[in-house]
Amino acid sequence: MAGKVASKKNGKSKKGAKPATEDTAPPEQNGGAKKRAKPKPAPKPAPAVIPTQATTSPAEAPAVAPPSVAAPPVAAPVEPAAPAGIPPQVSSVKASSSVKASATRTVATGRGSSGAPAARATPKRKPLKGVSAIRAFFRRNATPIYFISPTAFNLLGVDRWISNFHYINYYDSFGGMHPRVWVPQDRGEDNFGSMEEMNNYLITHPEFFDLVRDKAPGKAVLVMFDEETERLAADLGIEVALPSAELRHRMDSKLVTTRLGNEAGVPSVPNVLGSVEDYDGLLQLARSAGLGDDLVVQLPWGDSGKTTFFINDKASWDKAEESSELTGVEMKVMKRINCRAVAVEAVLTRHGTLVGPIMADITGYTELTPYKGGWAGNDVYIDVLTPAQHARARVLTQNLGDRLGSEGYRGFFEVDYLVDVDTGELYLGELNPRLSGISSMTNVTAGAYAELPLFLFHLLEYLDVDYEIDVAEINARWADPDTVDVWSQVVIKQTEDSIGLITKSPETGIWTTGPRGKLRFSRPATDWHDLQDESEGFYLRVAGPGDYLYKGADIGILVSRGRLQTNDFRLTPLCRRWVNGIRGLVAATPLDELPEGGGPAGLKS
């Protein structure tokens, strides 16, 4: 929002923590920074946080991998032969609620006794030359691509472009109607501490073993993962088609981002890095860099503004210390500027950095989120920046991509820029080395149809195929104003500080709204590509009947072909009609009115 340095949509989602009762934001429904202590449990069964969108850094400590044990031979060929790495004896095990991501399993690793990866024969083929050849390649893709995430949100719609693409989800937003969405029939106990834990649970689920045995091992893509995820995927013969968890975690730090940006010529808001012991020490550090007394303080990791603090006096320092440890830790201290936030995604390829559309952030609106500075959506439209700012943002993003390449990074990344309203200068806000909450918008714009969704170029870096592209030519087309059309999305959270069990909520699909705001279900849909005009909206249900509703929980996500935020940072009347209408269709029974044992099946009390 104007006048504030906003941080958003990235941080470690804490899935399964009991709902917070204090003003501290619960974990986002997509992401993952350092794990925090869980809030005190409610006196009755409390809901688990549902990770659904996009976010940041994986857990710091890698799990110790148990020794791999080769699968015993199968006596009779009762079932089809399992692909490399899939133990036949495990694939037939019925799922149970006792299956957990951390459980030690007997699996075949697909490796020799020395532990070295088994040799794979790579068929020789001519390099793919240009976008049309790449498009045809993905239409005939034979390698299974598994997007493992709590919901399909971040990459919803890319299955239109990629054959053999599968959404591996914990929550089924489509009620079984999406042909590419796979959800385990037996979900077991919903008691996860992070998005990584939920993803690891999905990978270790016996029903997923069966799916991989039927489809064959391939590539896995995730928003959030850790070293344990990498080990579990390798056990199944699946390659995680992303930079390593260790590299992503290091680059996720806002302090590392600042240093890399400086080296790449991508400036940050005037700042100083250091640690302090108290408020007086903060003032001394800030004044040494000429930042004044009106400050923005950021910790290395955090999501949607949860570790970004606006401090201009001792009282605001004390309030910030109530939610985070600020003393003796390295932090970024910035001058507070009058700014607005924009975001852009890019993909670092072997041929250079491709830069996608630039979009405005929707942050901090009390109608959408209970958290000050919390990311709540995006607007894509031609005038989000001036032509000169557009050009500069694209050049800065390419420079940053080149710098990431020297660190060994490749593939998708997202950058937030802060636009100084008073001077017009662009500053680096934060780097998110992953798919993000704006990936959904990046892949649906006119530019994606003029070229290809950027995600396909990411996959090319991890598939056994050579390709040739003209990076400058593709970037010129992405920068063409004619490839920018209007798309918007908002994430609707529960803003009231109460807990209840959902009994009714809008179903996923295309809805219509009239001038009085009454919503009407128009037709089922599996993504937002078929929206006709701004009178229609695609609604993706996140929290459904049987799920808990609590402060900060994601209710659902709305995608529109109309503007949802004005140029002066207000929600449009269209947005307010959608938000009010959707909230009016959600009903929940308060927690203290539930009978004993009245919680949803599978939730741990």
Side-chain angles (χ1 to χ4, degrees), residues 252-441:
D252 222 7
S253 164
K254 294 178 177 64
L255 309 183
V256 172
T257 296
T258 300
R259 295 179 179 117
L260 291 176
N262 291 340
E263 294 168 9
V266 184
S268 294
V269 174
N271 69 89
V272 61
L273 306 181
S275 61
V276 301
E277 295 301 324
D278 51 28
Y279 177 65
D280 290 337
L282 175 68
L283 289 182
Q284 183 178 354
L285 179 64
R287 290 170 182 171
S288 70
L291 305 180
D293 297 346
D294 193 0
L295 305 168
V296 179
V297 172
Q298 283 188 325
L299 298 180
W301 288 278
D303 167 45
S304 294
K306 295 184 181 69
T307 58
T308 297
F309 307 100
F310 304 97
I311 298 176
N312 57 9
D313 56 22
K314 181 66 163 56
S316 55
W317 166 269
D318 291 341
K319 184 176 180 180
E321 272 206 309
E322 292 176 3
S323 61
S324 295
E325 179 61 52
L326 300 181
T327 59
V329 295
E330 191 175 18
M331 61 178 63
K332 181 178 180 179
V333 181
M334 294 175 284
K335 176 183 178 181
R336 189 168 181 176
I337 65 172
N338 181 24
C339 69
R340 60 189 181 92
V342 298
V344 60
E345 282 187 315
V347 57
L348 177 58
T349 76
R350 68 194 68 172
H351 302 291
T353 301
L354 299 173
V355 182
I358 299 169
M359 56 193 79
D361 275 355
I362 296 175
T363 57
Y365 292 99
T366 57
E367 297 91 336
L368 298 171
T369 175
Y371 307 117
K372 186 177 181 180
W375 172 75
N378 298 89
D379 265 339
V380 183
Y381 58 98
I382 186 60
D383 297 324
V384 66
L385 293 175
T386 67
Q389 289 171 331
H390 262 285
R392 177 161 171 75
R394 300 184 72 83
V395 169
L396 293 178
T397 304
Q398 285 185 281
N399 291 346
L400 187 58
D402 292 343
R403 181 63 185 85
L404 296 180
S406 67
E407 297 289 319
Y409 191 90
R410 59 183 172 137
F412 232 80
F413 64 95
E414 187 263 349
V415 187
D416 293 338
Y417 291 104
L418 302 174
V419 184
D420 190 321
V421 174
D422 299 325
T423 67
E425 181 59 270
L426 267 65
Y427 294 112
L428 174 62
E430 62 185 39
L431 165 72
N432 299 293
R434 65 182 51 79
L435 299 169
S436 77
I438 73 170
S439 300
S440 50
M441 293 287 93

Side-chain angles (χ1 to χ4, degrees), residues 61-119:
V64 177
S68 299
V69 180
V74 181
V78 179
E79 298 177 307
I86 308 300
Q89 78 278 15
V90 175
S91 64
S92 61
V93 175
K94 186 180 185 299
S96 72
S97 61
S98 63
V99 177
K100 298 301 294 180
S102 60
T104 300
R105 303 175 293 110
T106 300
V107 297
T109 64
R111 300 171 181 172
S113 59
S114 65

Side-chain angles (χ1 to χ4, degrees), residues 160-238:
R160 290 174 176 251
W161 297 85
I162 307 171
S163 295
N164 218 352
F165 187 91
H166 309 277
Y167 300 99
I168 309 303
N169 301 147
Y170 188 85
Y171 298 98
D172 186 359
S173 301
F174 301 91
M177 298 302 293
H178 196 305
R180 299 287 189 91
V181 170
W182 178 93
V183 177
Q185 294 183 10
D186 186 342
R187 296 194 308 173
E189 294 179 342
D190 186 351
N191 187 34
F192 305 101
S194 69
M195 193 176 190
E196 292 89 335
E197 287 186 13
M198 179 178 283
N199 290 339
N200 291 346
Y201 172 84
L202 289 169
I203 291 175
T204 58
H205 202 293
E207 293 178 33
F208 182 60
F209 298 165
D210 291 344
L211 178 72
V212 174
R213 187 188 62 180
D214 293 341
K215 301 290 183 183
K219 311 290 182 178
V221 182
L222 309 92
V223 175
M224 298 307 308
F225 68 97
D226 53 22
E227 289 88 348
E228 174 74 356
T229 316
E230 293 171 326
R231 184 186 68 79
L232 294 171
D235 285 345
L236 297 179
I238 296 175

Side-chain angles (χ1 to χ4, degrees), residues 539-562:
Y539 179 73
L540 180 72
R541 182 168 72 185
V542 175
D547 292 324
Y548 280 111
L549 193 63
Y550 52 92
K551 182 180 177 180
D554 285 1
I555 296 173
I557 301 164
L558 175 81
V559 178
S560 171
R561 299 211 66 170

